[in-house]
Amino acid sequence: MKIRKAVIPAAGLGTRVLPATKAIPKEMLPLADKPTIQYIIEEAVASGIEHIIIVTSRTKRAIEDHFDETPELRAALERKGDHKKLEMLERIESMVQLSFTRQPTPRGLGHAILMAKDLVGDEPFGVLLGDDLVVNDERPCLRQLMDVHETYGGCVVAAMRVPHEQISLYGNVALGKSITPRTHRIRDLIEKPKPEAAPSDLAVIGRYVLTPDIFDALERTEPGSGGEIQLTDGICALLERQQVFAHEFEGTRYDTGDPVSYLTTSLAFALRRPDLAPGVIAFLKNLHLDESRALDKLD
Ligand code: G1P
């Protein structure tokens, strides 16, 4: 079945990047000069998604404002005759149909997805997590998962091999039969296992295609890892009833969930931009001098 809708959970408190996120949603923190959530929405649109449901919480109004019309800004740019920026505004404000719903209390990723139940309805849908950026200019990561769903049905999670000691940061996949070199049936799913208990080094990355059966499964899911209702546990409950695939996507994955990964991802995204890269490269070429001075100060 064709996938038209996607859910972006954006209700998290962003405590790992405080104080930046005290009053600003972490999804609005820019990578180079663009809010993180805009990249995520652009990936969904490039994948063929027509309607995006964003699950927010009390402090996240700036997300809604970012994609809304801005007549004052438009008038100011018109007065200046800045057609390039006007086109940019137009693109942001008419990108895709957006709906917003709230998660009243932070009860976990699975619970956040459940908040989108009525807006999604009875059809398969995509999920994109804002902390994971995946770059593939030809075939976006979500599109790759949609293609697997359109061929084989069932649910599909994006997967990537990670160093064994890092598996406890992720959902972990126990593999069944391989369907293609990159697509495998899932036998079991475990949220953030200890490395010694992990059945593989294959981690779940924040892109999913889910069937609407997930809502019923999530309604029955008890709090798991971290005392939260985990999406991984909901998907695991579906394994008895339908096929669930792990797809080792093609593309480069960047994390933004903690200060170091946020900074390095921002740098990587600036380096991909022809208008920003030369200045950033010039700065980096001289950085070793500054770095040794900064380290001197620490001694
Ligand atoms: C979430 C999911 C986890 C997944 C990860 C990918 O965890 O619960 O299964 O591996 O995203 O980034 P979080 O990073 O929100 O704790």
Side-chain angles (χ1 to χ4, degrees), residues 252-268:
T252 310
R253 181 249 181 177
Y254 296 92
D255 187 6
T256 61
D258 64 86
V260 172
S261 64
Y262 169 68
L263 280 171
T264 49
T265 299
S266 192
L267 191 58

Side-chain angles (χ1 to χ4, degrees), residues 90-252:
E90 175 63 29
R91 211 165 37 78
I92 294 172
E93 293 166 11
S94 62
M95 209 176 294
V96 67
Q97 181 187 353
L98 289 174
S99 298
F100 293 85
T101 186
R102 282 193 176 194
Q103 183 189 31
T105 46
R107 293 178 56 196
L109 177 59
H111 183 258
I113 299 296
L114 201 46
M115 299 296 103
K117 179 180 174 182
D118 289 346
L119 285 162
V120 169
D122 193 23
E123 54 185 287
F125 61 102
V127 172
L128 303 99
L129 305 190
D131 283 350
D132 289 318
L133 278 292
V134 184
V135 174
N136 181 324
D137 294 330
E138 273 93 53
R139 257 178 95 224
C141 184
L142 184 64
R143 180 70 252 170
Q144 296 176 41
L145 305 194
M146 288 161 69
D147 289 344
V148 173
H149 170 85
E150 281 167 20
T151 311
Y152 303 105
C155 293
V156 192
V157 307
M160 185 179 97
R161 298 201 184 267
V162 298
H164 187 65
E165 64 282 5
Q166 287 176 20
I167 197 69
S168 52
L169 299 172
Y170 300 94
N172 182 215
V173 175
L175 291 178
K177 195 171 155 241
S178 291
I179 308 293
T180 73
R182 287 186 175 273
T183 309
H184 323 280
R185 298 256 322 242
I186 292 182
R187 203 162 32 81
D188 198 7
L189 271 174
I190 307 150
E191 179 68 7
K192 305 198 172 91
K194 294 210 169 91
E196 56 275 21
S200 77
D201 292 341
L202 208 56
V204 175
I205 298 304
R207 299 288 181 277
Y208 308 77
V209 166
L210 302 173
T211 60
D213 304 312
I214 191 65
F215 296 119
D216 181 46
L218 286 170
E219 271 161 1
R220 294 159 195 265
T221 300
E222 297 290 331
S225 168
E228 298 189 331
I229 296 175
Q230 295 292 347
L231 180 58
T232 305
D233 296 341
I235 300 172
C236 197
L238 291 182
L239 284 169
E240 294 167 8
R241 292 194 257 158
Q242 58 185 249
Q243 304 202 82
V244 182
F245 302 99
H247 182 71
E248 293 186 68
F249 59 92
E250 288 175 75
T252 310

